Amino acid sequence: MFKPKAASWISLYFSGLFFAWGIFLPFWALWLESEGLDPSQIGMLLGFSMLARFLGNVLLMPRIKSAKHLLPGIRYVSFASILVVASLCWLNGYFWLTLLTLAANFFIATLIPLGDAVATKWVSQLQLDYGRVRVFGSIAFIVSSTLLGLGLTYYSHSLILYATLASLVVMWGLSLLTPASPLVDEDHEGEPVSSKLWPVLKQAHALKFVLVSALIQGSHAAYYAYSTLYWKSIGYAESTIGYLWSIGVALEMSILIFGSKWFKSWNANKMFLLAAVGGVVRWGIFGSTEVLPLMMLSQGLHALTFALTQLAAIKYIASEAPSSQAIPLQALYSAIALNMGTALLTFLSSALYKPMGSGIFFLIMGGLSALAIPLLLLNAKSAKASNS
C-alpha cells in the first residue's frame, strides 16, 4: 500500500482542503444570493457561520486526546462535511439553507486546525517546514477560486455547490492515505498533555497570544463576508473578483515558501507586529479607493495580514509555547482568533455595512490591526526586560 512521506501527505491534504475552501469561502455568499437571500440575511448567516466554526473547534478539537487521534478525526469530519453539502443538492428553502450552511461551516472549518495540528506535530517531530507544505494549499486555493470565477461567467451559480461537493470528496479520499511517519506524542517530562481549552486559555501567555492573533485575523471580517459583494457592487466582473482573491493568495505564497528563511531569526511577537502594521496599511487602502491597481496592492498585503500571522502562530505553538499545550493552543487560535472574533465582527458589519458605507467599515478593520500594535510592543518590552 502506498504510504506517502509526512511532507507529501500533509501537502496533499492541504491541497484538497484548500481547493474546497477556495470555492466555499469566496463564492458561498454568491450562491446564497442566487438562492434568494438578501445582503443583510447573508451577512447574518455568515456571522452565525463563523460561530458555527467556533463551535466546531471548541467541541470537536478537545476530543483529540493524543496525536494518534488526529488522522481518524480528519477522516470522520471530512465525511460528515460531504454528507452536509450533498444534502443541499435536494433540500432547499430558507430553513435548510440556514441549517446546512451552519453545519457545513461547523465541519469544514474544523478541518483546518486539524490539518494544522498534524503539521505542527511534524514540525516538532520531524522539523517539517510548515510554510513549504502549507503553500500547496494556497496554490489549490488560487486554482479553485480562479476557475470558479471563470466558470461562473458561463454556468449558473449551482456550479458553486457542485464544485464544493466534488472537491470535498477528493479531499476525503486523500485523507484516507496512511502517512509513512506516524504521529506520536512527545515526552513532556512528566507534564500531562492537555486537551482542555479553558485551563490553557487562563494562562497569561496563551491569553496574549489569542488576543493579538484575534485582532489581526479578526480584521479580515468585512473582507471575508462582504468583499465579493462589495467588488460586484462597484462594477468588478466576477472573473475579476476571482483574480483579486487569487492575488491575495498568490502573494501569501511568497511568505509561506520563503518565510522560514526570511524570518528565521524573528520570534513570533516580531512577526505578529509586522503583520499588524500590514493590516493598518491594507485596510486603509481597501476602504479609501475603488481603483483596481490599488485594490490589487491591498490584496497583495494578504501576505502579511494572513500568511505571516499564520506562520507566527505556528512558530509560537510549535517552538515557543509549552509542547504539552500544542493541540489546545491550535484549537484556541482557530476557534477564537480565526472564527469567534471574526464572527462577532461579521455581525457588526452586517448591521453597519449599509448605513456606514463599505469604505468606512473597512477602515474600522484597519483600526483593529492598529490595536494589536501597542500590545505587541509592550510584550516585546517585557520580554526584553526579563532577558536583561
Side-chain angles (χ1 to χ4, degrees):
M1 180 180 178
F2 172 63
K3 290 187 176 183
K5 294 180 179 179
S8 299
W9 191 96
I10 197 64
S11 297
L12 287 170
Y13 174 75
F14 279 145
S15 297
L17 173 58
F18 285 98
F19 191 95
W21 199 239
I23 301 165
F24 187 75
L25 181 64
F27 294 104
W28 201 252
L30 287 180
W31 183 74
L32 291 171
E33 185 182 52
S34 74
E35 293 294 305
L37 275 65
D38 62 41
S40 62
Q41 290 175 318
I42 292 171
M44 290 296 290
L45 180 52
L46 292 180
F48 279 110
S49 294
M50 290 178 189
L51 286 179
R53 297 175 199 172
F54 166 78
L55 290 175
N57 282 265
V58 300
L59 295 178
L60 297 180
M61 287 294 288
R63 300 182 67 85
I64 307 298
K65 305 296 184 182
S66 68
K68 68 181 181 181
H69 295 143
L70 283 168
L71 296 189
I74 283 174
R75 291 158 184 161
Y76 288 130
V77 175
S78 298
F79 190 69
S81 302
I82 292 170
L83 294 179
V84 169
V85 176
S87 299
L88 283 164
C89 294
W90 65 85
L91 296 174
N92 49 46
Y94 183 75
F95 172 79
W96 288 114
L97 283 176
T98 300
L99 180 64
L100 293 174
T101 292
L102 294 177
N105 280 274
F106 181 89
F107 289 113
I108 298 173
T110 305
L111 291 167
I112 297 174
L114 283 170
D116 280 337
V118 171
T120 302
K121 281 291 181 184
W122 278 331
V123 168
S124 299
Q125 184 181 328
L126 305 172
Q127 289 73 56
L128 182 78
D129 188 331
Y130 173 82
R132 288 182 181 271
V133 296
R134 175 60 176 77
V135 75
F136 287 95
S138 299
I139 293 170
F141 190 103
I142 291 172
V143 171
S144 63
S145 61
T146 301
L147 289 178
L148 255 291
L150 293 171
L152 289 173
T153 63
Y154 300 102
Y155 300 101
S156 74
H157 289 88
S158 296
L159 178 65
I160 299 168
L161 176 62
Y162 298 133
T164 301
L165 177 59
S167 58
L168 287 173
V169 171
V170 172
M171 180 204 60
W172 174 67
L174 293 171
S175 75
L176 296 177
L177 296 171
T178 301
S181 300
L183 289 159
V184 297
D185 289 306
E186 300 173 23
D187 181 7
H188 303 292
E189 299 180 352
E191 183 182 2
V193 177
S194 176
S195 63
K196 295 185 178 180
L197 306 185
W198 178 242
V200 174
L201 183 59
K202 288 193 297 183
Q203 298 181 36
H205 77 93
L207 186 59
K208 290 177 183 177
F209 163 67
V210 170
L211 179 58
V212 165
S213 54
L215 285 169
I216 301 173
Q217 294 287 17
S219 72
H220 294 79
Y223 169 65
Y224 290 147
Y226 280 110
S227 61
T228 297
L229 297 176
Y230 169 64
W231 286 328
K232 187 178 179 181
S233 72
I234 61 176
Y236 291 175
E238 288 170 330
S239 58
T240 301
I241 293 171
Y243 289 132
L244 282 171
W245 277 91
S246 298
I247 287 170
V249 184
L251 270 294
E252 140 191 333
M253 287 169 54
S254 64
I255 297 292
L256 293 175
I257 294 172
F258 302 109
S260 60
K261 180 179 179 180
W262 292 345
F263 302 101
K264 184 177 181 179
S265 62
W266 289 38
N267 61 23
N269 192 82
K270 196 173 179 180
M271 294 165 71
F272 277 129
L273 182 58
L274 179 57
V277 172
V280 173
V281 177
R282 180 185 187 185
W283 306 123
I285 295 173
F286 204 109
S288 59
T289 184
E290 297 178 4
V291 177
L292 184 58
L294 291 176
M295 195 66 73
M296 293 167 66
L297 173 62
S298 173
Q299 283 297 89
L301 289 171
H302 195 66
L304 299 183
T305 60
F306 176 77
L308 188 59
T309 302
Q310 182 75 359
L311 285 186
I314 294 297
K315 186 166 192 173
Y316 180 80
I317 294 169
S319 306
E320 300 179 19
S323 58
S324 60
Q325 299 176 4
I327 292 177
L329 280 172
Q330 191 70 61
L332 287 167
Y333 170 67
S334 183
I336 297 177
L338 294 178
N339 293 308
M340 183 63 175
T342 308
L344 295 176
L345 289 164
T346 300
F347 285 129
L348 185 63
S349 68
S350 67
L352 300 179
Y353 183 79
K354 281 187 175 180
M356 290 186 64
S358 54
I360 294 175
F361 202 81
F362 285 119
L363 292 175
I364 292 174
M365 296 296 103
L368 289 177
S369 294
L371 286 177
I373 294 174
L375 293 174
L376 290 161
L377 292 174
L378 287 173
N379 201 38
K381 185 177 180 180
S382 62
K384 186 177 180 181
S386 63
N387 292 331
S388 61

